Amino acid sequence: MPFPFGKSQKSPAEIVRSLKENVAYLEKVDAGDKEVSKNLASLKEILSGTGDKEPHTEAVAQLAQELYNTDLLISLIANLQRIDFEGKKDVVHLFSNIVRRQIGTRTPTVEYICAHTQILFMLLKGYESAEMALNCGMMLRECLRHEPLARTVLFSEDFYCFFRFVELSTFDIASDAFASFKDLLTRHKIMCADFLENNYDKVFTEYEKLLHSDNYVTKRQSLKLLGELLLDRHNFSVMTKYISRAENLKLMMNMLRDNSRNIQFEAFHVFKVFVANPNKTQPVLDILLKNQTKLMEFLSHFQTDRSEDEQFCDEKNYLIKQIRDLKRPVAPEEA
Amino acid sequence: MSFLVSAHEESQESLTSLSRRDTMGSFLPDSSSYELLAVIGRGLDDLMTVNLAQYRPTGEHVAIRRIDLESCTNDMVTYLQGELHVSKLFHHTSILPYKSVFIAENELWVITPFMAFGSARDLICTHFTDGMNELTIAYILLGMLKALEYIHHMGYVHRSVKASHVLVSADGQVCMSGLRSIFSLIRHGQRAKVVHDFPQYSVKVLPWLSPEVLQQNLQGYDSRSDIYSLGITACELANGHVPFKDMPATQMLLEKLNGTVPCLLDTTTIPPEELSLKPSRSGADSGICEGLGAGSIRHSNGEPSSTSAGHPYNRTFSSHFHAFVELCLQREPEKRPSASTLIGHPFFKQIKRRPSEALPELLLPVSPITSCESSRPQDSPSGMASLESGLSHLEVDDWDF
């Protein structure tokens, strides 16, 4: 049955099959191919319409079905490197659109990817290749909106690659990886809390390296994210664990004195949780007591030019009061 | 990391084959590979410094935009990251490519090709204070339209089209830049028809923005708003300053909504009485023909360059040029032609030669910055920062643990 969309007289199924063959050809010749780009452009038109023309629902359904039947998404991502610059963007467009597809409450593409999780890991590994990192990042984040797909990535060993990707020297790629990393750790709250609790040691060992990064942005953004994670009420037990450890307090106290005011400020938002904790562990309390006078002195002069930020000033005054009132618990009587 | 290796190979190659130089990502993401030379510009409310620099591995000149991130809020950093992301999705000869982007100390470094004539705004500020000649403008506008055609085709609205965002290279190549405010109509694989978002950090762009962008109503706006801005830019290039310059923002908004249309200042738009006057700058050079209280508009353009030749606007632009500007500046967005249509406008028929042959000649006596004057950068990023960090290391044990 021919569909009436402009120049292209082929049906969506025909285009998908033709694209599949052309992509297979790419693998052999290892060079860009005009046919692939043309096919991709036609598919993009079917999905989003052109100019004033709305996309044709029936054509979209046929296209989607054929994508699943032929496993075209997998071959496209596997050969993304070989597709030309504009073609890569068309793949992202096609992918994003089809992942969003809904039939009632069902999201068939998400189901398809759940059954073919290699797609997620191919996208993740895409960060290693400069020419397709951002394309893969966009597709990956589209997947991460869906909890089952985010869970697959988060609970996998490959998740730990992100600790490397967010420090890549090419800043645009590192930024994109950080956006995905943040999505993974914050978007689906209950699942994220579950993940952080169950993988606490491994995750925070890696995370601490980011806080020590030589890269200014990595350091600043990961510290900010740490504050957000700890202050999210879903992560209550993770926070409790984090603020029970003296070495974390030491790190934050040192970061309060970082060269960068922005880093000092973000560190303040983590530091305050240690002080506000009504059930401080002994090692934490010891450090605070040892530095009681210094801390009060330090905080009363800390970023005083933020006087217009009322919340910050209130919090600072609260911390000074808390630290002033700190008392060594009465030592238990010797038996 | 594989991409670092390939980036290095690219740069090795560009030593031998200049034609390969255009490949993206051919510069190392490492500040020690660049020798900073003179400061050639500033921007972004002085957060950004632009340096001429020499890329050590090949010796070629590049421009480096350095942005002090420590002075940027978290929102600003996110905003800058957005720009970098978008720039990587564009690949077009009329759009300035970002060759490498990395962090050096507290600074974001963006490596771009060196555009030796600077921006079109630099050219009117430094030399063509009463505007450029028509043919030069035609070359510049055509370059901008080619960039806009691509940007619009990709589903984006530029939202910051102005003379300071178009650059000219030593060999006359015209490139658009200023992608910071760009907005994608495509979200999650769906293409929206209109945008409602008002561009952030755009106070300085207000005179160029279309009435529908400024109006911020439910109808929104689309790529045709860039065409309006192009029309304003045409006036800017021809008159030597942007229309509505120095006007309070609310007044400018009212003027645009009421249908005040800026125009090219010449013998067809300025009454002969005024042109015969000595160039005591009259209300006419506001660039607004139907301006209400033209006399109330102030100027800070400085003295006209040619006092002997009479009034600087005693000149006549072609009717095609006037018609082109009128098409762009129509109040109703849907009446404005698309970038692709405008490329075929008869105004561009006067272009006979390639930009590389014609533009450098047209821009004479301005010459591109060729040698790197040995004016050393005073604010080397590493100097102060390393000193500071050195000091702080001494007292790092201040806390008692």
Side-chain angles (χ1 to χ4, degrees), chain A residues 85-86 89 97 100 128 142 168 170-172 175-176 216 220 253 257 260-262 266 291 294, chain B residues 1-3 69-70 72 74 81 85 88-89 91 101 105-106 150 154 188-189 395 398-400:
Chain A
F85 184 83
E86 297 298 337
K89 294 196 293 184
N97 185 299
R100 294 235 161 186
E128 288 174 352
E142 201 58 57
L168 288 174
T170 304
F171 182 59
D172 43 309
S175 294
D176 192 281
Y216 169 80
R220 178 169 165 186
M253 283 169 69
R257 296 159 27 78
S260 153
R261 282 171 45 82
N262 292 296
E266 300 300 345
N291 295 281
K294 279 184 192 168
Chain B
M1 272 159 285
S2 57
F3 70 90
L69 294 174
E70 182 62 11
C72 295
N74 289 326
Q81 285 173 317
H85 195 270
K88 286 288 168 182
L89 300 177
H91 193 21
V101 181
E105 306 270 350
N106 296 343
Y150 177 82
M154 293 299 150
H188 315 294
E395 357 163 48
D398 210 28
W399 302 119
D400 298 322

Side-chain angles (χ1 to χ4, degrees), chain B residues 191-238:
Chain B
R191 192 182 187 127
K193 295 249 178 294
V194 291
V195 190
H196 293 98
D197 174 84
F198 189 76
Q200 257 187 310
Y201 308 107
S202 59
V203 181
K204 286 195 176 157
V205 194
L206 295 180
W208 287 266
L209 294 181
S210 69
E212 67 273 15
V213 173
L214 296 171
Q215 206 171 3
Q216 303 181 60
N217 68 12
L218 281 175
Q219 284 162 4
Y221 59 92
D222 64 8
S223 58
R224 307 283 165 134
S225 64
D226 284 343
I227 301 300
Y228 181 94
S229 304
L230 184 84
I232 296 284
T233 308
C235 297
E236 184 185 8
L237 296 173

